[in-house]
Amino acid sequence: MALRTSLLRLFPWRQVVPLIAALVAVAALAAGCHPDVAVDPGRHFTPSFATGTVIGEANIPIPPENGDPNGGQVDWFDTGISLPKAGFYRVTVNGTVNTTPNPAYEACVGQPWPYPGGSWGPFGINGTNELKVILRFDYTYWALGLSAPDVNSPTATNFGYYPAGTHLLAMRNGVSGGGSVTSSDGEICHANAYLMSGTQTITVEQVPLPVVHALKNPVTSSEVVTFVASLAPEITEFDWVYVGRDTLPTPMGAPTGDRIWSCSGQTSCSIPVSSSGRMYSMGNIAHSELVWVKDPPVRLTVSCSPSEVPAGGTTTCTAATAPAGQPLQIVEWFFVPDSATAHDQTLQALDCATENPCTTHVRANGTVYARATVAGIEQTAGAPVTRARPQLEVTASATLVHPGDTVVFTAQAPGASSVQVGSWSWVVDEVTAAAPNLATTTQPVSGRIGIRSTAAATMTSGCGTGLNPCIVPVTETGRMQVSATVDGEPQFAESPVVQVESPPPDSVPALTCPAQVERGAIAICQVAPPSASVIRWRVTAESVELGNPPDRVSSEREWSGPMVTSGTVSAVVQRGAGDTTLTAHIAVTPRPWTSSVPTVADSVYVRCPGPTRTGDCPLLDPPQGTRDRGISQTTPRFDQIAVEDSAREVTTGPNTGYSYLAGDAPYTFMRFRRARWGGSPCPCSS
């Protein structure tokens, strides 16, 4: 976005910078010191503009309600943030004011709230003046212009060049809604429309001044020199002025030179230089080192090895002199990419500082430069380096599989900053268009013929755009192909051939369990063959009331133990990069218990219910003893049975956790149905 400050809205750069410089100079002279023209000749190192130096933070208070006066407005206050020096600053307002409708307002006033509740950022309620944050510096009444992606963003920023010593002031508008109602009996009802909460903070960062470097120094007369500027991303309006014969330790300043119109707004400027001097940008705010037009007896040289670096690799650059062996003092190392995505990246400082040689990562094609003092003057020289193009490749988790095995295909480009997958496709390998059950469209790949099978689209349907890796079951021999964007460049790659072979009959995993066992008998379930890799076991009981025991996570191929209830046993087995589930059902039959069933004569009666009734009723049905006594997954408590010593809990196998009667119960409680006489209850006198 364009640089927006209060001054810039009124004056262009060529007017505002001399104006600021003049004002500062007058103030400095009045104080009896040398004028400060907002440049620092001793500043050598290329800074980073991504984040500035935080010089102050402040909170904007949020009242509990939008009460009087002015609906919860926060009046102008001094944030306590003062600018230490003239320069560029980034002011950020972050956070929201939360408004919750007050139920008492509608009950009191008898009308709905002016706005719905919500969370509102620095631009206020939907970009209106309600709850809008306003900032300004104390030297002016002009409000700072805030910018954000949209009016409801929780963050807004301002960027500008401001003088030293000024204080930041802030306020926030209130929100309408509040009132009083006088009833017929003279009582006054008053309520505010909103309850308010949240946090809003102000942060001020000092952003480094722009940096300008000559990419060659010294030069011969009329030699073309390229100057490169690196500056904060918010700055989009800047110019270039070369000042010849500006060779004193203190820079003369841009007004003494001529503007280079052909370079306006660009981050680099190439011009022939006929006299020693400096290049200025944005008035006096930024300038290059002194460029010498002379042929010094000793020159700076730079060489880098290797000059072509693998993706993600490093190169070592060495500064030397010609003739060799002369003393030099490194000032800084910096890198200039052949193309930069943002104008705060046109000059990139290297971490080597004043070291020599300098070993650095190469992340793009460009030139590594050294600035050094040689033979009494500052010189600049560089050496080009290139970064090998990261190559897209596809890896497969297995290249020899059985039909249906799962394979993981991964798209990668070693050394790349980003790999964005476009699409996946599967082609059958080494087939012809005449192959049965295959599509007739051929696709040449790496000198071979690949044909898309009828199942290819279905096989990769789960691998949509952007999905990486692609995990699919493979049913036929072939290769996986992928199209992707690698560091912004479209590329295509394919995996190694994945060979599908039918397994021997005895190598297919299978689960065997007994089809039927008597309650309490041992059931043995096994997975074959021995090479099978078991991941976990599970059982699903037929009885919903009993529930299911937890899964057994184990690689053992056998699961055995007493079975007390019917159910389905499952074994999850590794298959390629995925897994498959094998199942077997076990039916549990009751035990033939009859020995303890009492003999009941037909003449046995039961007492009629009720405290005042007398009489006996014959049994409708005599007790039957063929029913096995029940089971439980909790503390043994069985319907129709009370037991002491015969209850057991299963501790191994599929029915782990269930309880059952291991032997016949020593005594029994039985519940009998009362007989019905002629369709009516039996006669019991009262």
Side-chain angles (χ1 to χ4, degrees):
M1 73 187 61
L3 168 65
R4 299 189 180 276
T5 68
S6 301
L7 289 175
L8 292 179
R9 283 196 294 270
L10 298 179
F11 304 105
W13 273 111
R14 291 180 59 80
Q15 296 180 24
V16 69
V17 173
L19 173 61
I20 293 176
L23 291 175
V24 175
V26 170
L29 289 173
C33 59
H34 294 290
D36 176 10
V37 291
V39 295
D40 184 0
R43 191 165 47 86
H44 292 297
F45 297 99
T46 304
S48 170
F49 299 94
T51 57
T53 301
V54 175
I55 63 167
E57 295 180 321
N59 290 321
I60 306 176
I62 297 178
E65 298 184 19
N66 67 318
D68 294 332
N70 302 322
Q73 174 177 303
V74 177
D75 292 330
W76 285 108
F77 68 97
D78 191 332
T79 63
I81 302 174
S82 176
L83 306 187
K85 61 187 297 185
F88 287 103
Y89 291 89
R90 184 180 293 120
V91 182
T92 303
V93 183
N94 186 61
T96 59
V97 177
N98 307 319
T99 56
T100 303
N102 184 5
Y105 173 79
E106 189 174 33
C108 171
V109 180
Q111 60 185 18
W113 301 274
Y115 300 98
S119 296
W120 315 107
F123 282 98
I125 299 179
N126 297 325
T128 65
N129 282 326
E130 309 272 1
L131 298 179
K132 181 179 181 179
V133 175
I134 304 174
L135 306 176
R136 69 178 178 88
F137 286 108
D138 59 359
Y139 71 90
T140 178
Y141 288 102
W142 298 327
L144 300 185
L146 295 175
S147 60
D150 58 73
V151 295
N152 293 318
S153 173
T155 302
T157 59
N158 169 271
F159 182 89
Y161 187 93
Y162 301 112
T166 184
H167 288 253
L168 181 65
L169 309 180
M171 72 160 291
R172 183 178 55 239
N173 291 331
V175 54
S176 59
S180 302
V181 174
T182 304
S183 63
S184 58
D185 56 5
E187 293 187 3
I188 298 177
C189 168
H190 177 81
N192 298 314
Y194 303 101
L195 307 177
M196 299 170 63
S197 62
T199 302
Q200 275 189 331
T201 59
I202 302 171
T203 303
V204 178
E205 302 171 81
Q206 184 177 0
V207 180
L209 294 174
V211 172
V212 179
H213 280 328
L215 300 187
K216 185 178 182 182
N217 188 19
V219 296
T220 59
S221 181
S222 299
E223 184 175 354
V224 175
V225 180
T226 298
F227 296 87
V228 176
S230 189
L231 54 160
E234 292 92 340
I235 303 174
T236 59
E237 299 176 7
F238 49 95
D239 53 19
W240 299 87
V241 176
Y242 185 79
V243 180
R245 296 176 296 281
D246 182 4
T247 58
L248 296 176
T250 300
M252 297 170 57
T256 60
D258 294 324
R259 184 174 183 179
I260 307 169
W261 292 98
S262 61
C263 297
S264 294
Q266 301 179 24
T267 56
S268 65
C269 185
S270 299
I271 60 169
V273 174
S274 58
S275 61
S276 301
R278 294 179 174 93
M279 177 69 85
Y280 290 82
S281 183
M282 304 176 70
N284 287 349
I285 290 179
H287 64 82
S288 72
E289 61 274 30
L290 173 58
V291 177
W292 293 98
V293 178
K294 62 190 311 182
D295 187 10
V298 181
R299 279 188 173 270
L300 176 68
T301 64
V302 174
S303 60
C304 296
S305 180
S307 59
E308 184 174 354
V309 183
T314 62
T315 186
T316 299
C317 299
T318 303
T321 61
Q326 302 299 311
L328 64 87
Q329 178 63 48
I330 297 291
V331 175
E332 72 166 329
W333 292 90
F334 63 92
F335 177 74
V336 177
D338 288 347
S339 61
T341 56
H343 55 262
D344 61 337
Q345 296 296 316
T346 52
L347 292 172
Q348 301 171 18
L350 302 182
D351 295 333
C352 305
T354 59
E355 299 174 3
N356 190 26
C358 172
T359 299
T360 182
H361 283 276
V362 177
R363 297 180 173 85
N365 296 343
T367 305
V368 176
Y369 288 93
R371 292 177 60 209
T373 302
V374 180
I377 64 172
E378 186 178 293
Q379 301 189 30
T380 302
V385 291
T386 57
R387 175 176 180 258
R389 172 176 173 264
Q391 294 292 324
L392 180 67
E393 59 185 40
V394 181
T395 62
S397 60
T399 55
L400 181 61
V401 297
H402 296 151
D405 282 358
T406 299
V407 179
V408 179
F409 296 95
T410 304
Q412 60 188 24
S417 300
S418 66
V419 176
Q420 300 294 326
V421 169
S423 63
W424 298 90
S425 59
W426 177 259
V427 293
V428 181
D429 192 66
E430 302 295 351
V431 295
T432 65
N437 300 322
L438 299 178
T440 57
T441 302
T442 62
Q443 177 177 344
V445 180
S446 302
R448 295 185 298 228
I449 295 296
I451 295 184
R452 298 183 186 279
S453 69
T454 54
T458 302
M459 196 181 86
T460 57
S461 61
C463 298
T465 300
L467 187 65
N468 190 21
C470 174
I471 305 175
V472 292
V474 176
T475 58
E476 53 193 349
T477 297
R479 290 160 285 123
M480 184 66 79
Q481 300 175 341
V482 66
S483 61
T485 301
V486 179
D487 288 346
E489 176 189 13
Q491 292 192 28
F492 174 87
E494 62 181 6
S495 73
V497 174
V498 178
Q499 186 73 30
V500 177
E501 294 184 352
S502 298
D506 59 353
S507 66
V508 178
L511 171 63
T512 58
C513 296
Q516 178 176 299
V517 296
E518 185 179 281
R519 180 169 286 116
I522 301 296
I524 301 175
C525 294
Q526 292 180 322
V527 173
S531 60
S533 177
V534 177
I535 300 174
R536 63 182 178 275
W537 294 85
R538 173 181 296 169
V539 66
T540 304
E542 287 184 354
S543 173
V544 178
E545 290 89 1
L546 291 177
N548 299 316
D551 289 2
R552 180 195 185 209
V553 180
S554 173
S555 60
E556 296 181 8
R557 294 186 303 105
E558 181 178 298
W559 201 18
S560 62
M563 290 293 294
V564 298
T565 184
S566 301
T568 300
V569 176
S570 304
V572 180
V573 181
Q574 185 79 32
R575 186 169 185 181
D579 56 56
T580 188
T581 301
L582 310 175
T583 61
H585 185 267
I586 303 177
V588 175
T589 60
R591 293 160 292 190
W593 283 357
T594 58
S595 59
S596 62
V597 177
T599 301
V600 182
D602 291 340
S603 59
V604 174
Y605 290 81
V606 296
R607 182 66 58 184
C608 285
T612 62
R613 299 191 178 194
T614 61
D616 294 323
C617 294
L619 291 176
L620 177 64
D621 300 312
Q624 302 296 320
T626 58
R627 181 175 182 271
D628 193 356
R629 295 149 177 64
I631 60 174
S632 172
Q633 203 180 2
T634 59
T635 304
R637 296 182 62 183
F638 305 104
D639 184 31
Q640 302 178 341
I641 298 175
V643 297
E644 291 181 348
D645 298 327
S646 61
R648 296 289 184 272
E649 181 178 352
V650 180
T651 58
T652 61
N655 284 172
T656 297
Y658 291 120
S659 296
Y660 74 110
L661 292 180
D664 212 352
Y667 54 87
T668 301
F669 293 126
M670 291 190 174
R671 185 179 299 121
F672 305 109
R673 288 185 297 161
R674 193 156 50 90
R676 290 186 175 271
W677 197 268
S680 302
C682 66
C684 294
S685 60
S686 53

